[in-house]
Amino acid sequence: MNAPVIIDRRRVLAGGGALIVSFSLGSALAQQPDAPAAAAPSPPGSLKTSPYLDAWIRIDANGVEVFTGKAELGQGFKTAFQQIAAEELDVAFESLKLTTADTRLTANEGYTAGSNSMKDSGTAIQNAAAQVRALLIAEAARRLDLPAESLQTADGAVIAPDGKRLSYSELVAGNMLHVQAQPTSKLKDPATFKVIGRPVPRVDIPAKVTGAAAYVQDMRLPGMGHARVVRPPSYGAQLSECDTSAVEKLPGVVKVIRDGNFLAVVAEKEFQSIKAMNALAAAAKWNETARLPKQDDLPNVLTSLPSQDTTIFERGNPAVGIQKTIEATYTRPYQAHGSIGPSCAVAHFVDGSMTVWTHTQGVYPDRQGIAEMLRIPPASVHLIHVEGSGCYGHNGADDAAADAALIARALPGRPVRVQWMREQEHAWEPFGPAMVTKLKASLDGSGKIADWNFDVWSNTHSMRPGGAGSMLAAQHMAQPFAVPAPKPLPLPEGGGDRNAIPFYNFPNARVVHHFISEMPLRISAMRALGAYHNVFSIESFMDELAIIAGADPVEFRLKHLDDRRGRDVIEKAAQAFGWKPDQKPPPDRGYGFAFARYKNLAAYCAIASEIEVNRETGRPRLVRAAAAVDSGQVVNPDGLINQIEGAIVQSMSWTLYESVTFDDTRITSIDWQTYPILRFNSVPESIEVHIIDRPGQPFLGSGETGQGPAAASIANAVANATGKRLRNLPLTRKRIKEAIDA
Amino acid sequence: MMTLKVNGREHQVDAETDTPLLYVLRDDLKLNAAKFGCGLGQCGSCTVIVDGKAVLSCVTPMVLLEGKQVTTLEGLGTIAEPAPIQRAFMEEQAAQCGYCIPGMMMRAQALLQRNSKPTDEQIRAELEPHLCRCGTHMRILRAVHRAARLMDTAEASPAANRSAR
Ligand code: FES
Ligand code: FES
């Protein structure tokens, strides 16, 4: 059980162009009877970009193998994808083999991000599986000379009316599955689902709770050396001198690598490399520049930086009269992903070819970046995803992959494992960007919102690789790659403006995105991107308006929302929580409510929470939360509940405790003492998650849907408990105490 | 060379004496469960049991362990024959990424060995040194309660309840 991670390259699909199959695909893949008249021109999900069925499903004598270009990040996708394939193919769940992101084996699905995996890959696997099943039935019909309608499938075989079975393995010959997907598939009737919708236990958990190799951190290749990087002490610091001779003589040291400002050491054993790293860090002299903004003044710094301003939404109805107008500003600091396991990668450079095992969210974009950095063709770089510690967005994973590649290049033939130290992860990961929102809204005579103005200031929310310039190692080399110019992420998903457009119906509304291209701190994608702060702002402000209107927060939201599914999750969360319009919380407690539809196009989520505030210390405590979520057709209800529970707990930690700290030169929050997060003494008494299942509806991503509503629900509960509105994240005990005393 | 007793077996370890136990377990003995999280004693992901007590292996030098019994998660059970604590975590599906989980399990195991019926408050207090970034806390708590119940039932058949010393 302690075997190293096994590298499985046994079945790289033999190449070959598209072959014409010997029967009519059209009849095998007849459209669903209820398909819309104007059929979609391209197939759904990631089949759009990787249309060949055998990019997703391959069948041979060993059985059925399913491929996804997405990476398991601890969300349980592997299990969900396997359920989908088992269902649509009629194959036993346990018999399936699933291969995840690998640049030689799987489709290029870009990043595993934005809660898009179910929508992209889940949908692709579902449709590919259904179409493969149809092909197998057609092939069996041909062989048996029977009408396809008379055949059934079960347990990996096509079954004739007389009971004769033709296994899928027997039926698949040559390149039969190397055909392009049709735009629509004959999907199963959700009422007949046997595997989808069941809480199938996760396939990865047994290994993780028994100490089997489960992470890239657990990889041990024969002859592998252990590397550590010495990072500069601050952004832009220049290495002026470094006498490496003493370090080279330390026990076990194999090599010291210096390439401009990139400094690393490889040793035989892991602790030897850590000792050598410390010695190397002591020998290195750096020139630093004070270039960080004033942390205390961050909101002003951000709003006064040059910005590119775009009105992203405008709706006008001058007929509406205005009674009362209020304004408020909300802020969010830089926040850290803070993976529990520091970033890690293993790289092996053999005969001019680089293989990197990494917990990146994007093997293909990283391959491009690493190839560029090493100045070798992408075809000579092979990236294989292996699970790491949960990442919650773009953390140090990609940088560690680049570090490993650069180090391994200096030691051809020898595999090298690099892991970051805790302080490096905290100081060098790209943070979730700081943000400022300014809101102004008016109520009409009936207590409804008459107009709504929302301005958001933010950096981009993705500096993910593609090019080498996004990776620290490439930025630090003697011949460095420049950091690429940041770009705003396009709507409808958006970046800093994700969820900035209100999902409610307001007769007048205007939303302006102030995109700031200057990035004082290194930033990139963090779970939910701008939606975390935008939903926090919108949903806090909705409560401020509800209070002025004298309305119950839940009723106030329903009054402004027509969307049926949105109303359903609001009503469900309120009912599960026991929300009552005239409720009075016990002393020093407060109730809060919030709702959002993630990206205004993915999963719906509403959360009610109860907070207790210690008036002496200001300490807030989430007592309980009740959530309702609608993510379309549910594949694995327990997996979905796990994700939402986790989102609420994590968002609570961001919301109550977390901000990256810095002086004029260095990041100063560099471990768990200087960047405190939730500990067990603050874990709520209960979190209830209720799913509204929508059989047959498209999969909606849900991994990030809870972050915003959880934050606002907690902030609203704090306001309810204290009578004071806190608009600056995090809502620390100090800030709450100051508000109470003010 | 030093002799280290891990999971009931003696190992000859050739590592520098200041090497923390974590690296001996991972690097010399090729064990996976104890994880590097911070190396600073702040997160709990490296927790193992030494003579019945939960210990942060990242800040425990190997030399202090002469003659002591070290138990890691691997020593409790296997996928085929999971220990009660492992069964409990599987049954509660108490993991997201799971990186923090082995450390949590080892401290919970140490707690349950000295207190077979801990209260919810005691479990929370005990797990205070441990961080989980995925927010799996509610499930972890449920899994520890379940493990207590499973161990209780297992007591009747002691063979099924290997304990860590
Ligand atoms: S790794 Fe030992 S406490 Fe964090
Ligand atoms: S399950 Fe991921 S850190 Fe705890």
Side-chain angles (χ1 to χ4, degrees):
Chain A
M1 71 195 200
N2 299 318
V5 169
I6 291 162
I7 302 133
D8 187 346
R9 293 200 209 81
R10 82 202 143 84
R11 275 189 283 162
V12 182
L13 192 78
L19 297 184
I20 308 300
V21 280
S22 57
F23 52 87
S24 159
L25 200 57
S27 63
L29 302 175
Q31 291 179 3
Q32 283 170 285
D34 57 348
S42 56
S46 290
L47 284 171
K48 254 187 229 46
T49 45
S50 296
Y52 285 96
L53 296 181
D54 65 359
W56 305 95
I57 315 269
R58 293 172 205 166
I59 300 175
D60 63 16
N62 297 319
V64 182
E65 191 166 357
V66 181
F67 294 79
T68 169
K70 299 285 183 181
E72 173 69 58
L73 310 171
Q75 334 86 317
F77 285 156
K78 276 170 135 171
T79 310
F81 291 160
Q82 222 167 297
Q83 284 179 263
I84 292 170
E87 184 72 67
E88 291 292 348
L89 270 171
D90 272 330
V91 173
F93 174 86
E94 310 75 39
S95 76
L96 286 171
K97 181 176 184 310
L98 180 81
T99 296
T100 59
D102 179 319
T103 59
R104 296 245 166 112
L105 296 176
T106 68
N108 180 356
E109 292 195 83
Y111 288 105
T112 302
S115 300
N116 286 328
S117 297
M118 289 306 289
K119 173 169 81 64
D120 296 348
S121 214
T123 303
I125 291 169
Q126 185 182 28
N127 283 275
Q131 297 192 19
V132 165
R133 183 170 155 270
L135 288 175
L136 293 163
I137 291 176
E139 173 66 5
R142 191 184 64 82
R143 288 198 199 171
L144 300 171
D145 199 16
L146 285 168
E149 302 73 52
S150 70
L151 301 176
Q152 299 198 323
T153 52
D155 210 9
V158 180
I159 301 165
D162 64 357
K164 185 173 166 46
R165 298 171 66 94
L166 284 173
S167 78
Y168 291 172
S169 296
E170 292 171 62
L171 284 166
V172 170
N175 275 322
M176 190 176 124
L177 303 183
H178 193 65
V179 292
Q180 299 215 23
Q182 298 293 298
T184 55
S185 323
K186 249 192 249 170
L187 297 178
K188 286 200 177 165
D189 175 356
T192 68
F193 282 166
K194 294 189 212 63
V195 198
I196 289 182
R198 299 263 176 278
V200 174
R202 281 205 359 218
V203 294
D204 54 332
I205 287 183
K208 289 174 175 177
V209 300
T210 52
Y215 306 91
V216 67
Q217 283 88 347
D218 300 332
M219 281 184 68
R220 294 179 189 88
L221 299 184
M224 186 176 83
H226 288 275
R228 286 292 181 280
V229 178
V230 174
R231 285 258 116 88
S234 56
Y235 298 137
Q238 299 292 315
L239 186 58
S240 57
E241 58 179 278
C242 186
D243 181 357
T244 61
S245 54
V247 178
E248 274 153 16
K249 289 190 206 88
L250 288 175
V253 169
V254 177
K255 196 175 177 88
V256 174
I257 293 144
R258 180 179 172 182
D259 186 344
N261 295 312
F262 181 84
L263 204 52
V265 58
V266 185
E268 297 293 345
K269 298 180 75 173
E270 188 164 11
F271 194 62
Q272 291 172 331
S273 82
I274 292 174
K275 286 204 278 186
M277 171 199 73
N278 288 331
L280 196 56
K285 302 279 174 284
W286 303 86
N287 292 326
E288 297 180 70
T289 22
R291 58 178 217 182
L292 297 184
K294 285 231 170 317
Q295 190 183 341
D296 296 346
D297 197 30
L298 196 56
N300 287 325
V301 171
L302 288 180
T303 50
S304 53
L305 284 172
S307 64
Q308 178 188 317
D309 303 342
T310 315
T311 301
I312 57 171
F313 184 75
E314 202 155 24
R315 175 193 288 156
N317 180 357
V320 183
I322 281 171
Q323 287 265 311
K324 169 122 185 105
T325 301
I326 59 165
E327 293 182 52
T329 300
Y330 296 84
T331 68
R332 172 207 184 176
Y334 293 100
Q335 292 177 317
H337 302 79
S339 295
I340 293 299
S343 296
C344 180
V346 176
H348 195 189
F349 189 55
V350 183
D351 299 334
S353 285
M354 182 65 74
T355 306
V356 184
W357 292 265
T358 162
H359 55 106
T360 177
Q361 292 176 281
V363 286
Y364 281 94
D366 270 20
R367 178 180 71 163
Q368 189 192 327
I370 288 173
E372 199 178 308
M373 174 182 79
L374 302 177
R375 296 175 167 93
I376 59 177
S380 304
V381 180
H382 179 191
L383 265 80
I384 301 167
H385 180 267
V386 186
E387 267 191 78
S389 181
C391 63
Y392 331 107
H394 178 194
N395 68 346
D398 311 75
D399 297 307
D403 290 344
L406 198 55
I407 297 165
R409 183 177 66 172
L411 285 171
R414 182 151 196 194
V416 177
R417 173 190 185 274
V418 65
Q419 184 164 16
W420 284 13
M421 303 303 288
R422 169 52 48 203
E423 300 86 337
Q424 295 172 333
E425 189 79 26
H426 262 83
W428 281 97
E429 67 148 274
F431 304 119
M435 292 172 71
V436 177
T437 42
K438 293 195 182 190
L439 285 81
K440 184 176 166 192
S442 309
L443 295 171
D444 66 14
S446 73
K448 280 188 81 172
I449 292 169
D451 77 31
W452 175 272
N453 290 279
F454 187 96
D455 284 72
V456 52
W457 283 261
S458 175
N459 282 140
T460 182
H461 281 250
S462 176
M463 288 300 289
R464 292 180 187 275
S470 296
M471 296 163 149
L472 289 176
Q475 294 167 14
H476 294 163
M477 294 163 85
Q479 279 183 283
F481 289 82
V483 177
K487 287 201 261 316
L489 303 175
L491 286 164
E493 304 209 349
D497 52 357
R498 181 166 290 181
N499 276 90
I501 296 172
F503 195 62
Y504 298 106
N505 293 324
F506 302 140
N508 294 284
R510 182 177 147 88
V511 180
V512 182
H513 179 207
H514 305 262
F515 172 76
I516 306 164
S517 53
E518 198 177 309
M519 296 170 288
L521 269 68
R522 182 169 197 244
I523 54 94
S524 194
M526 182 153 135
R527 194 174 186 182
L529 311 191
Y532 167 65
H533 182 68
N534 291 330
V535 171
F536 162 70
S537 308
I538 291 174
E539 290 294 298
S540 293
F541 204 54
M542 284 296 281
D543 260 37
E544 298 199 44
L545 288 158
I547 290 167
I548 292 172
D552 172 71
V554 170
E555 279 171 10
F556 190 69
R557 284 173 172 80
L558 290 173
K559 215 163 143 178
H560 292 93
L561 189 66
D562 295 333
D563 188 286
R564 183 66 249 163
R565 290 169 72 175
R567 296 178 65 92
D568 285 352
V569 293
I570 290 177
E571 280 161 3
K572 181 76 212 174
Q575 176 230 324
F577 184 81
W579 189 279
K580 287 182 208 73
D582 47 2
Q583 61 193 356
K584 283 265 173 305
D588 297 335
R589 295 215 173 178
Y591 302 136
F593 198 91
F595 158 78
R597 179 176 192 194
Y598 185 50
K599 300 191 275 194
N600 291 344
L601 51 76
Y604 298 81
C605 181
I607 301 174
S609 58
E610 177 172 349
I611 285 270
E612 183 181 60
V613 173
N614 180 324
R615 297 189 74 84
E616 297 309 311
T617 62
R619 178 173 181 263
R621 186 173 71 89
L622 178 62
V623 180
R624 66 188 177 105
V629 60
D630 169 356
S631 70
Q633 166 76 56
V634 178
V635 176
N636 189 320
D638 189 60
L640 177 57
I641 290 170
N642 200 353
Q643 282 288 294
I644 301 295
E645 276 177 10
I648 293 172
V649 172
Q650 185 182 66
S651 177
M652 164 202 165
S653 180
W654 295 358
T655 303
L656 296 180
Y657 312 118
E658 299 182 26
S659 56
V660 170
T661 61
F662 45 91
D663 59 24
D664 62 3
T665 312
R666 294 181 179 185
I667 303 297
T668 52
S669 47
I670 50 163
D671 58 16
W672 298 121
Q673 233 140 57
T674 46
Y675 189 88
I677 64 169
L678 167 76
R679 283 189 183 269
F680 266 95
N681 64 358
S682 302
V683 169
E685 284 156 26
S686 81
I687 295 183
E688 266 177 50
V689 179
H690 299 269
I691 296 173
I692 300 181
D693 190 12
R694 301 287 184 189
Q697 289 293 315
F699 306 132
L700 298 176
S702 53
E704 298 163 298
T705 188
Q707 308 303 114
S713 164
I714 287 169
N716 289 335
V718 169
N720 186 237
T722 61
K724 302 294 166 94
R725 173 64 53 179
L726 275 79
R727 302 189 183 90
N728 299 312
L729 291 169
L731 317 180
T732 58
R733 73 165 75 179
K734 184 163 170 284
R735 282 177 169 160
I736 293 174
K737 174 78 177 136
E738 281 165 9
I740 290 172
D741 292 346
Chain B
M1 266 309 175
M2 188 189 131
T3 307
L4 200 64
K5 254 202 179 159
V6 179
N7 297 334
R9 279 181 46 206
E10 296 204 341
H11 299 267
Q12 298 303 310
V13 177
D14 183 13
E16 290 148 55
T17 49
D18 58 347
T19 307
L21 174 62
L22 174 65
Y23 301 98
V24 176
L25 296 174
R26 294 193 60 87
D27 212 4
D28 295 274
L29 305 187
K30 318 276 183 237
L31 295 170
N32 298 309
K35 301 280 189 244
F36 173 74
C38 65
L40 305 165
Q42 296 176 348
C43 76
S45 57
C46 62
T47 304
V48 299
I49 296 179
V50 177
D51 288 350
K53 286 206 182 67
V55 159
L56 299 173
S57 68
C58 73
V59 289
T60 306
M62 175 179 78
V63 280
L64 299 181
L65 298 166
E66 190 90 67
K68 303 198 188 232
Q69 307 265 6
V70 179
T71 307
T72 72
L73 186 58
E74 287 95 337
L76 298 184
T78 60
I79 295 182
E81 265 188 87
I85 187 97
Q86 292 166 320
R87 254 186 68 193
F89 273 71
M90 291 183 205
E91 287 169 2
E92 292 291 343
Q93 292 285 290
Q96 286 182 63
C97 78
Y99 197 89
C100 68
I101 297 295
M104 301 262 188
M105 293 172 77
M106 293 315 281
R107 190 171 303 270
Q109 173 77 19
L111 168 68
L112 295 175
Q113 281 176 204
R114 58 169 206 274
N115 175 1
S116 61
K117 292 193 177 65
T119 62
D120 193 56
E121 225 161 90
Q122 286 169 329
I123 296 172
R124 286 170 187 251
E126 187 72 17
L127 291 176
E128 189 66 6
H130 291 254
L131 295 176
C132 171
R133 191 55 165 162
C134 295
T136 314
H137 303 72
M138 308 307 297
R139 285 169 186 248
I140 293 167
L141 292 171
R142 285 203 292 273
V144 179
H145 283 292
R146 180 184 283 258
R149 292 195 303 272
L150 287 175
M151 284 182 182
D152 223 28
T153 357
E155 226 126 74
S157 55
N161 189 14
R162 254 174 293 172
S163 82
R165 277 171 297 170

